[in-house]
């Protein structure tokens, strides 16, 4: 007997969920989405991400990030076509940001962080290695994901595994039940609609809000990735840069602006992003300042922020359909993607077990 599953959403969360679900040959999977890899749209967060791995959760909630790293590392080592490569990453801390109640509270900036035993070659930086104005910093090996390449690769892996992918715009999650390519009703629907979950009927999660991120993609190359705990341009502005694999250019950022839906890049913010980047890393333009930045595009993405953190749970509707939710990853959707998708598989298997199915001896 086959399990008919419909995944709604083709961002990193939906595609990774579909890929891991497809590893059980009893699952027959359809992915439905308004936006697909290759699209650039304000309702689609995934293409706009940097993206890199900079752990954010605290130790207690680090499961999804811990479970994702080994797979991203494996891809960086063994699958160059996925568009993921290793990069050294430098993180700089200022005491004033760490005690600022409105500042970033990510575990990334902790002294002696939990992830020092996960990410390779972790070390604290010496005083002569710090950016001016910063009291401490650390360095480790991480990865940078070329999102344009990686989303296409993920889609390709899904297609290779027999997943059927279709465009569709849903006004209610209940519509997904009858939209499997098999023609049979789905027993399980995976909701991976990101910020779409705010307005999607049957979900309407009003704890969702955008965390707007503005970036500039340039052709110039930087050395190690760089991130700071704050900037002197206000609490909404951040500083990071990373060089994408396979000619993807360098992403410089950024902002983290909760509740702001504006899809247009703000030219003043863009100027400040570029100024901070060349000040922190003059080598980006060979010491020639912002005028020597070769801009590919200005970008704005809306991180799908959820007040109470990610929603990863199963919910039964009145007609007996199970909805497995996987949305609300804010600024860490890639770096937790495999851990979260693995949880989706666990939830799906639990539902099937409760229905009396044998999920242990099934064909892989
Ligand atoms: P999305 O990518 O938004 O996908 C949602 C999908 O659902 C789309 O296919 C959409 O079309 C579909 N959908 C929604 N509503 C409907 C509907 N009604 N009907 C049909 N389809 C629907 N993460 C990291 O891990 N590392 C980083 O370095 C990083 N940097 C970032 C930098 C920026 C500037 C931004 C904006 C984000 C960054 N992120 C980063 C966060 C990451 O991009 C997100 O967490 C992730 O992309 C969320 O993916 P998703 O699949 O849940 O949502």
């Amino acid at each position: 007997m086959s399990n008919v599953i419909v995944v709604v959403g083709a961002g990193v969360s939906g595609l990774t969920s579909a890929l891991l679900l497809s590893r059980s040959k009893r699952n027959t999977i359809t992915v439905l989405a308004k936006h697909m890899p290759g699209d650039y749209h304000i309702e689609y967060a995934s293409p706009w991400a940097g993206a890199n791995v900079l752990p954010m959760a605290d130790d207690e909630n680090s499961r999804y990030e811990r479970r994702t790293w080994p797979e991203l590392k494996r891809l960086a080592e063994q699958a160059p076509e996925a568009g993921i490569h290793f990069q050294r990453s430098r993180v700089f801390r200022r005491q004033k940001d760490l005690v600022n109640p409105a500042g970033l509270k990510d575990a990334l900036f902790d002294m002696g962080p939990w992830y020092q035993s996960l990410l390779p070659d972790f070390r604290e930086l010496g005083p002569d290695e710090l950016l001016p104005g910063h009291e401490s910093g650390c360095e480790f090996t991480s990865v940078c994901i070329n999102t344009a390449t990686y989303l296409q690769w993920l889609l390709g892996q899904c297609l290779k595994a027999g997943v059927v992918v279709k465009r569709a715009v849903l006004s209610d999650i209940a519509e997904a039940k009858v939209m499997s390519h098999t023609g049979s009703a789905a027993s399980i629907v995976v909701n991976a609609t990101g910020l779409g979950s705010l307005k999607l009927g049957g979900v309407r999660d009003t704890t969702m809000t955008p965390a707007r991120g503005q970036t500039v993609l340039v052709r110039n190359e930087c050395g190690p990735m760089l991130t700071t705990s704050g900037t002197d341009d206000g609490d909404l502005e951040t500083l990071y840069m990373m060089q994408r694999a396979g000619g993807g250019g360098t992403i410089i950022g950024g902002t983290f602006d909760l509740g702001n839906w504006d899809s247009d890049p703000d030219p003043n913010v863009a100027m400040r992003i570029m100024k901070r980047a060349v000040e922190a890393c003059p080598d980006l333009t060979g010491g020639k300042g912002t005028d020597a930045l070769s801009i590919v595009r200005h970008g704005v993405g809306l991180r799908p922020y959820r007040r109470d953190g990610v929603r990863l749970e199963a919910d039964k509707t009145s007609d007996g359909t199970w909805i497995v939710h996987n949305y609300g990853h804010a600024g860490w959707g890639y770096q937790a993607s495999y851990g979260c998708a693995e949880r989706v598989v666990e939830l799906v298997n639990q539902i099937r077990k409760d229905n009396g199915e044998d999920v242990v001896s099934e064909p892989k």
Side-chain angles (χ1 to χ4, degrees):
M1 198 181 71
S2 145
N3 298 294
V4 178
I5 300 176
V6 171
V7 177
V8 187
V12 68
S13 308
L15 292 175
T16 315
S17 300
L19 182 61
L20 297 203
L21 285 167
S22 74
R23 292 188 179 154
S24 162
K25 293 298 164 230
R26 278 202 198 135
N27 292 335
T28 305
I29 301 154
T30 311
V31 171
L32 304 175
K34 183 172 178 185
H35 304 99
M36 291 286 170
D39 297 350
Y40 283 89
H41 195 278
I42 196 64
E43 294 171 5
Y44 189 29
S46 292
W48 300 108
N52 62 9
V53 172
L54 293 178
M56 291 180 193
D58 57 22
D59 193 2
E60 203 185 327
N61 298 299
S62 60
R63 170 186 163 174
Y64 302 131
E65 291 177 339
R66 281 183 195 274
R67 300 287 305 178
T68 301
W69 171 254
E71 184 58 11
L72 296 180
K73 177 170 174 282
R74 188 188 71 77
L75 293 175
E77 283 165 348
Q78 297 175 21
E81 68 278 15
I84 301 178
H85 67 171
F86 290 112
Q87 267 203 299
R88 294 292 289 162
S89 179
R90 289 188 157 199
V91 174
F92 297 95
R93 317 176 187 100
R94 299 190 304 184
Q95 194 53 28
K96 64 178 176 186
D97 300 322
L98 306 185
V99 297
N100 174 5
L104 293 171
K105 292 288 163 286
D106 302 339
L108 176 67
F109 301 107
D110 288 353
M111 297 293 289
W114 65 263
Y115 62 83
Q116 64 182 331
S117 57
L118 182 73
L119 299 181
D121 316 314
F122 181 96
R123 71 176 182 97
E124 282 293 321
L125 296 173
D128 55 336
E129 296 173 291
L130 299 177
L131 277 184
H134 293 75
E135 289 95 30
S136 68
C138 62
E139 183 183 70
F140 47 88
T141 298
S142 181
V143 290
C144 180
I145 303 166
N146 180 340
T147 57
T149 307
Y150 182 63
L151 289 170
Q152 295 284 4
W153 179 85
L154 259 185
L155 175 65
Q157 296 301 301
C158 287
L159 296 174
K160 196 163 134 187
V163 174
V164 172
V165 182
K166 300 202 290 186
R167 297 254 182 186
V169 183
L170 276 63
S171 51
D172 194 297
I173 191 77
E175 294 162 19
K177 182 174 178 172
V178 293
M179 294 177 78
S180 163
H181 69 278
T182 61
S184 303
S187 53
I188 298 173
V189 171
V190 177
N191 171 29
T193 55
L195 194 54
S197 288
L198 173 64
K199 293 184 183 147
L200 182 62
V203 185
R204 288 202 215 285
D205 184 340
T206 55
T207 67
M208 291 295 294
T209 194
R212 181 181 184 277
Q214 184 168 330
T215 56
V216 186
L217 178 65
V218 297
R219 295 182 183 85
N220 310 63
E221 297 192 346
C222 66
M225 298 192 276
L226 178 156
T227 313
T228 63
S229 56
T231 72
D232 288 329
D233 293 322
D235 294 333
L236 308 181
E237 302 210 10
T238 58
L239 166 58
Y240 60 85
M241 69 182 86
M242 67 192 85
Q243 195 177 318
R244 287 173 166 174
T250 297
I251 283 277
I252 55 180
T255 61
F256 193 93
D257 192 356
L258 276 181
N260 186 343
W261 290 89
D262 191 356
S263 58
D264 292 328
D266 176 327
N268 294 318
V269 171
M271 267 319 297
R272 291 198 291 273
I273 287 174
M274 294 189 284
K275 189 162 168 286
R276 289 192 295 261
V278 295
E279 272 170 16
C281 179
D283 285 351
L284 195 58
T285 54
K288 293 185 184 140
T290 53
D291 287 349
L293 284 171
S294 172
I295 298 170
V296 180
R297 79 167 71 90
H298 293 273
V300 174
L302 302 180
R303 302 173 182 93
Y305 179 90
R306 187 166 183 266
R307 194 185 56 209
D308 301 323
V310 67
R311 185 172 183 202
L312 254 171
E313 63 181 5
D315 190 22
K316 197 174 193 175
T317 61
S318 51
D319 72 351
T321 313
W322 281 99
I323 314 285
V324 174
H325 296 283
N326 181 16
Y327 68 86
H329 306 81
W332 47 272
Y334 283 86
Q335 65 195 35
S337 54
Y338 283 90
C340 292
E342 204 179 70
R343 182 71 190 136
V344 168
V345 173
E346 281 174 13
L347 290 165
V348 165
N349 286 347
Q350 189 57 49
I351 293 166
R352 293 170 50 199
K353 232 160 101 187
D354 292 348
N355 286 341
E357 282 180 49
D358 174 10
V359 292
V360 178
S361 60
E362 66 185 0
K364 298 280 182 217

